[in-house]
mmCIF file of all heavy atoms in Angstrom:
data_model
loop_
_atom_site.group_PDB
_atom_site.id
_atom_site.type_symbol
_atom_site.label_atom_id
_atom_site.label_comp_id
_atom_site.label_asym_id
_atom_site.label_seq_id
_atom_site.Cartn_x
_atom_site.Cartn_y
_atom_site.Cartn_z
ATOM 1 N N ARG A 73 -35.806 5.880 -1.369
ATOM 2 C CA ARG A 73 -36.772 5.545 -0.328
ATOM 3 C C ARG A 73 -37.686 6.759 -0.108
ATOM 4 O O ARG A 73 -37.202 7.891 -0.104
ATOM 5 C CB ARG A 73 -36.044 5.225 0.984
ATOM 6 C CG ARG A 73 -35.297 3.898 0.985
ATOM 7 C CD ARG A 73 -34.313 3.869 2.144
ATOM 8 N NE ARG A 73 -33.645 2.590 2.323
ATOM 9 C CZ ARG A 73 -32.583 2.191 1.633
ATOM 10 N NH1 ARG A 73 -32.067 2.960 0.698
ATOM 11 N NH2 ARG A 73 -32.031 1.011 1.878
ATOM 12 N N HIS A 76 -36.231 8.319 4.716
ATOM 13 C CA HIS A 76 -34.906 7.727 4.985
ATOM 14 C C HIS A 76 -34.106 7.512 3.695
ATOM 15 O O HIS A 76 -33.373 6.525 3.568
ATOM 16 C CB HIS A 76 -35.025 6.396 5.734
ATOM 17 C CG HIS A 76 -35.627 6.513 7.104
ATOM 18 N ND1 HIS A 76 -34.876 6.653 8.237
ATOM 19 C CD2 HIS A 76 -36.922 6.518 7.518
ATOM 20 C CE1 HIS A 76 -35.684 6.725 9.294
ATOM 21 N NE2 HIS A 76 -36.917 6.650 8.877
ATOM 22 N N ARG A 113 -27.791 0.296 8.668
ATOM 23 C CA ARG A 113 -27.899 1.503 7.833
ATOM 24 C C ARG A 113 -28.415 2.653 8.695
ATOM 25 O O ARG A 113 -29.461 2.544 9.338
ATOM 26 C CB ARG A 113 -28.837 1.282 6.647
ATOM 27 C CG ARG A 113 -28.916 2.487 5.704
ATOM 28 C CD ARG A 113 -29.716 2.174 4.443
ATOM 29 N NE ARG A 113 -29.837 3.322 3.568
ATOM 30 C CZ ARG A 113 -30.799 4.241 3.636
ATOM 31 N NH1 ARG A 113 -31.742 4.151 4.555
ATOM 32 N NH2 ARG A 113 -30.836 5.250 2.790
ATOM 33 N N VAL A 147 -35.561 -2.204 13.046
ATOM 34 C CA VAL A 147 -35.577 -0.979 12.238
ATOM 35 C C VAL A 147 -35.910 0.192 13.154
ATOM 36 O O VAL A 147 -37.084 0.526 13.356
ATOM 37 C CB VAL A 147 -36.590 -1.097 11.085
ATOM 38 C CG1 VAL A 147 -36.318 -0.024 10.033
ATOM 39 C CG2 VAL A 147 -36.546 -2.472 10.462
ATOM 40 N N GLY A 148 -34.883 0.782 13.736
ATOM 41 C CA GLY A 148 -35.096 1.780 14.777
ATOM 42 C C GLY A 148 -34.692 3.182 14.366
ATOM 43 O O GLY A 148 -34.264 3.433 13.232
ATOM 44 N N ASN A 149 -34.815 4.086 15.311
ATOM 45 C CA ASN A 149 -34.415 5.492 15.140
ATOM 46 C C ASN A 149 -33.511 5.898 16.287
ATOM 47 O O ASN A 149 -33.365 5.161 17.259
ATOM 48 C CB ASN A 149 -35.646 6.408 15.136
ATOM 49 C CG ASN A 149 -36.364 6.429 13.789
ATOM 50 O OD1 ASN A 149 -35.803 6.053 12.771
ATOM 51 N ND2 ASN A 149 -37.592 6.888 13.809
ATOM 52 N N PHE A 162 -49.259 8.265 8.971
ATOM 53 C CA PHE A 162 -47.892 8.430 8.465
ATOM 54 C C PHE A 162 -47.833 9.226 7.154
ATOM 55 O O PHE A 162 -47.027 10.151 7.027
ATOM 56 C CB PHE A 162 -47.224 7.055 8.312
ATOM 57 C CG PHE A 162 -45.730 7.119 8.124
ATOM 58 C CD1 PHE A 162 -44.916 7.723 9.066
ATOM 59 C CD2 PHE A 162 -45.128 6.570 6.998
ATOM 60 C CE1 PHE A 162 -43.536 7.781 8.899
ATOM 61 C CE2 PHE A 162 -43.748 6.611 6.819
ATOM 62 C CZ PHE A 162 -42.955 7.219 7.777
ATOM 63 N N PHE A 339 -34.937 -3.259 4.798
ATOM 64 C CA PHE A 339 -35.277 -3.635 6.178
ATOM 65 C C PHE A 339 -36.796 -3.710 6.319
ATOM 66 O O PHE A 339 -37.521 -2.974 5.648
ATOM 67 C CB PHE A 339 -34.763 -2.580 7.160
ATOM 68 C CG PHE A 339 -33.269 -2.451 7.193
ATOM 69 C CD1 PHE A 339 -32.618 -1.510 6.412
ATOM 70 C CD2 PHE A 339 -32.503 -3.278 8.008
ATOM 71 C CE1 PHE A 339 -31.241 -1.384 6.446
ATOM 72 C CE2 PHE A 339 -31.128 -3.158 8.051
ATOM 73 C CZ PHE A 339 -30.497 -2.202 7.271
ATOM 74 N N LEU A 355 -48.877 1.679 15.732
ATOM 75 C CA LEU A 355 -47.867 2.210 14.823
ATOM 76 C C LEU A 355 -47.085 1.043 14.218
ATOM 77 O O LEU A 355 -46.823 0.988 13.017
ATOM 78 C CB LEU A 355 -46.923 3.129 15.595
ATOM 79 C CG LEU A 355 -46.016 4.006 14.755
ATOM 80 C CD1 LEU A 355 -46.803 5.161 14.149
ATOM 81 C CD2 LEU A 355 -44.882 4.568 15.595
ATOM 82 N N ARG A 359 -46.631 -0.521 10.328
ATOM 83 C CA ARG A 359 -45.282 -0.670 9.767
ATOM 84 C C ARG A 359 -45.087 -2.069 9.195
ATOM 85 O O ARG A 359 -44.368 -2.255 8.231
ATOM 86 C CB ARG A 359 -44.216 -0.402 10.848
ATOM 87 C CG ARG A 359 -44.170 1.025 11.343
ATOM 88 C CD ARG A 359 -43.059 1.190 12.375
ATOM 89 N NE ARG A 359 -41.739 1.170 11.779
ATOM 90 C CZ ARG A 359 -40.620 0.838 12.422
ATOM 91 N NH1 ARG A 359 -40.670 0.500 13.687
ATOM 92 N NH2 ARG A 359 -39.457 0.855 11.813
ATOM 93 N N SER A 362 -46.061 -1.744 5.608
ATOM 94 C CA SER A 362 -45.543 -0.719 4.693
ATOM 95 C C SER A 362 -44.183 -1.032 4.061
ATOM 96 O O SER A 362 -43.933 -0.696 2.903
ATOM 97 C CB SER A 362 -45.451 0.601 5.465
ATOM 98 O OG SER A 362 -45.012 1.629 4.649
ATOM 99 N N TYR A 363 -43.301 -1.668 4.795
ATOM 100 C CA TYR A 363 -41.914 -1.785 4.312
ATOM 101 C C TYR A 363 -41.810 -2.699 3.091
ATOM 102 O O TYR A 363 -41.220 -2.340 2.078
ATOM 103 C CB TYR A 363 -40.997 -2.252 5.451
ATOM 104 C CG TYR A 363 -40.809 -1.171 6.499
ATOM 105 C CD1 TYR A 363 -41.858 -0.794 7.321
ATOM 106 C CD2 TYR A 363 -39.602 -0.512 6.643
ATOM 107 C CE1 TYR A 363 -41.709 0.209 8.269
ATOM 108 C CE2 TYR A 363 -39.445 0.498 7.589
ATOM 109 C CZ TYR A 363 -40.497 0.849 8.397
ATOM 110 O OH TYR A 363 -40.352 1.849 9.315
ATOM 111 N N THR A 366 -43.378 -0.942 0.054
ATOM 112 C CA THR A 366 -42.580 0.098 -0.618
ATOM 113 C C THR A 366 -41.376 -0.523 -1.326
ATOM 114 O O THR A 366 -40.953 -0.076 -2.383
ATOM 115 C CB THR A 366 -42.154 1.200 0.387
ATOM 116 O OG1 THR A 366 -41.674 2.325 -0.329
ATOM 117 C CG2 THR A 366 -41.099 0.758 1.353
ATOM 118 N N GLN A 367 -40.849 -1.612 -0.765
ATOM 119 C CA GLN A 367 -39.662 -2.228 -1.379
ATOM 120 C C GLN A 367 -40.000 -2.937 -2.686
ATOM 121 O O GLN A 367 -39.156 -3.058 -3.573
ATOM 122 C CB GLN A 367 -38.992 -3.171 -0.374
ATOM 123 C CG GLN A 367 -38.207 -2.373 0.660
ATOM 124 C CD GLN A 367 -38.186 -2.970 2.044
ATOM 125 O OE1 GLN A 367 -38.596 -4.109 2.236
ATOM 126 N NE2 GLN A 367 -37.712 -2.217 3.020
HETATM 127 FE FE1 HDE B 1 -40.242 3.726 8.813
HETATM 128 N N1 HDE B 1 -40.390 3.453 6.823
HETATM 129 N N2 HDE B 1 -42.240 3.958 8.934
HETATM 130 N N3 HDE B 1 -40.104 4.157 10.800
HETATM 131 N N4 HDE B 1 -38.294 3.542 8.728
HETATM 132 C C1 HDE B 1 -39.370 3.264 5.974
HETATM 133 O O1 HDE B 1 -39.332 1.645 4.250
HETATM 134 C C2 HDE B 1 -43.110 3.594 7.994
HETATM 135 C C3 HDE B 1 -41.142 4.396 11.645
HETATM 136 C C4 HDE B 1 -37.408 3.549 9.768
HETATM 137 O O2 HDE B 1 -32.290 2.244 6.252
HETATM 138 C C5 HDE B 1 -39.829 2.916 4.578
HETATM 139 O O3 HDE B 1 -37.754 0.678 2.907
HETATM 140 C C6 HDE B 1 -44.450 3.633 8.491
HETATM 141 C C7 HDE B 1 -40.720 4.301 13.005
HETATM 142 C C8 HDE B 1 -36.058 3.437 9.285
HETATM 143 O O4 HDE B 1 -33.554 1.320 4.718
HETATM 144 C C9 HDE B 1 -41.349 2.872 4.717
HETATM 145 C C10 HDE B 1 -44.350 4.039 9.783
HETATM 146 C C11 HDE B 1 -39.393 4.009 12.945
HETATM 147 C C12 HDE B 1 -36.166 3.347 7.901
HETATM 148 C C13 HDE B 1 -41.536 3.222 6.174
HETATM 149 C C14 HDE B 1 -42.955 4.258 10.047
HETATM 150 C C15 HDE B 1 -39.028 3.927 11.568
HETATM 151 C C16 HDE B 1 -37.563 3.405 7.587
HETATM 152 C C17 HDE B 1 -39.255 3.810 3.504
HETATM 153 C C18 HDE B 1 -45.490 4.168 10.757
HETATM 154 C C19 HDE B 1 -38.421 3.834 14.117
HETATM 155 C C20 HDE B 1 -35.033 3.236 6.916
HETATM 156 C C21 HDE B 1 -38.220 2.991 2.764
HETATM 157 C C22 HDE B 1 -45.799 5.489 11.123
HETATM 158 C C23 HDE B 1 -38.732 2.704 14.933
HETATM 159 C C24 HDE B 1 -34.540 1.837 6.780
HETATM 160 C C25 HDE B 1 -38.372 1.664 3.290
HETATM 161 C C26 HDE B 1 -33.364 1.797 5.839
HETATM 162 C C27 HDE B 1 -38.065 3.320 6.294
HETATM 163 C C28 HDE B 1 -42.776 3.242 6.712
HETATM 164 C C29 HDE B 1 -42.470 4.770 11.271
HETATM 165 C C30 HDE B 1 -37.684 3.656 11.169
HETATM 166 C C31 HDE B 1 -42.133 3.762 3.793
HETATM 167 C C32 HDE B 1 -45.716 3.323 7.733
HETATM 168 C C33 HDE B 1 -41.599 4.435 14.251
HETATM 169 C C34 HDE B 1 -34.784 3.416 10.113
HETATM 170 O O5 HDE B 1 -41.858 1.602 4.483
#
Side-chain angles (χ1 to χ4, degrees):
R73 288 164 174 82
H76 296 266
R113 183 173 178 272
V147 197
N149 280 342
F162 194 58
F339 296 94
L355 193 75
R359 293 182 73 204
S362 182
Y363 290 69
T366 194
Q367 283 146 11

